[in-house]
Amino acid sequence: MMSSEFLTTWFLPGIWVTVQVTVYAAALGAAVSFGIGLARGSRHWIVRFLAGTYFEVFRGMSALVLMFWMFFALPLFGWQLVPMWAGVSALGLTYGAYGSEIVRGSLAAVAPAQKEAGIALNFTRRQRLRLIELPQAWPAMVPPFNNLLIELLKGTALVSVITVADMTFAGNLLRLGTNETTPVYTLLLVLYFVLAFLLTRGMRLLERRAKAGIGELPEKSAGPTGRPGARGGSLRAGARSAGGVR
């Protein structure tokens, strides 16, 4: 059975390591997602080509194999990464490639009239992105980013194979020490579910705030006719963005 000493020495610190890897890899992935996603819509073909190449290469890579390469092969080139940062880098670069498609697709879905309104107001490309396109695309990005973040959380279990002491690593130690396979892995499944549930609740709150920022009503609320008011909120948001952007 699990002793209190093992719990305090390995399991609780393992949960904290899992949270750290998730946060760091998500931060790197977000930077890559927006950087590559915006670059894929650049007016310069060389920028689009390089961003598209990155997307295709890293989307087709195995995160585990990339992690092995960064941990075992990169030192041959004179660059040694500690296990945690090898894992964070592999996960962030890989999931960032997936996220760049979310950014590109959401920006492409912004109504052309909104972009034309920015051009009519003589906005620069950067101003149109910051004031018109990103605020309207952001609510559409949150749900797929939520799914990607949960996949990233589950993917952090891979770092245990390069000796990062996350909660999967601690669970394997416990299984080896007690020979109790079912209780240990059941506990790990429950812990990953709890962490994923907390992430989902946080992302849903972020989604509601993002929609409120552009004037959309929550989906569950109804208008005077009893129908959901999200469409009316979207129309008001579009009218506000097209006619009242400053």
Side-chain angles (χ1 to χ4, degrees):
M1 296 297 293
M2 184 184 301
S3 65
S4 59
E5 181 181 358
F6 184 90
L7 181 67
T8 56
T9 304
W10 286 101
F11 223 91
L12 291 180
I15 295 173
W16 174 236
V17 170
T18 295
V19 172
Q20 285 182 297
V21 173
T22 302
V23 171
Y24 296 149
L28 175 59
V32 172
S33 296
F34 280 92
I36 299 299
L38 293 174
R40 291 178 67 195
S42 172
R43 292 174 296 178
H44 305 290
W45 73 267
I46 185 64
V47 176
R48 293 196 307 271
F49 173 78
L50 292 175
T53 300
Y54 177 94
F55 169 70
E56 294 295 344
V57 169
F58 280 86
R59 183 180 64 166
M61 282 186 179
S62 164
L64 179 60
V65 176
L66 180 60
M67 199 177 299
F68 283 152
W69 189 88
M70 288 188 164
F71 187 59
F72 295 111
L74 202 56
L76 300 178
F77 299 93
W79 195 5
Q80 177 71 58
L81 293 177
V82 297
M84 173 178 279
W85 292 115
V88 166
S89 299
L91 292 172
L93 293 174
T94 303
Y95 283 88
Y98 303 146
S100 69
E101 182 66 8
I102 297 174
V103 174
R104 186 203 64 79
S106 299
L107 287 173
V110 174
Q114 304 298 318
K115 303 176 184 179
E116 293 167 3
I119 296 174
L121 291 171
N122 201 29
F123 283 177
T124 64
R125 174 59 177 160
R126 182 173 299 180
Q127 288 175 318
R128 294 199 303 271
L129 276 173
R130 182 171 60 89
L131 298 174
I132 298 177
E133 296 178 33
L134 281 175
Q136 293 190 56
W138 173 239
M141 296 181 195
V142 177
F145 268 132
N146 180 29
N147 291 333
L148 193 61
L149 186 58
I150 291 174
E151 288 297 323
L152 173 60
L153 168 66
K154 294 184 290 185
T156 60
L158 297 175
V159 301
S160 62
V161 301
I162 55 172
T163 70
V164 177
D166 69 329
M167 62 185 186
T168 299
F169 186 87
N172 286 329
L173 287 182
L174 179 61
R175 183 187 66 83
L176 292 173
T178 62
N179 290 322
E180 294 183 355
T181 301
T182 302
V184 169
Y185 288 130
T186 300
L187 176 60
L188 285 175
L189 288 175
V190 171
L191 287 173
Y192 277 109
F193 168 77
V194 170
L195 291 176
F197 179 79
L198 293 175
L199 283 177
T200 299
R201 300 307 299 176
M203 291 296 284
R204 285 181 179 172
L205 177 61
L206 182 61
E207 181 183 4
R208 287 197 296 270
R209 290 186 175 180
K211 288 183 176 180
I214 60 171
E216 286 193 14
L217 297 176
E219 292 182 0
K220 64 180 180 180
S221 50
T225 61
R227 293 179 298 177
R231 179 174 175 80
S234 299
L235 293 175
R236 286 192 297 273
R240 179 185 307 172
S241 298
V245 176
R246 294 173 179 76

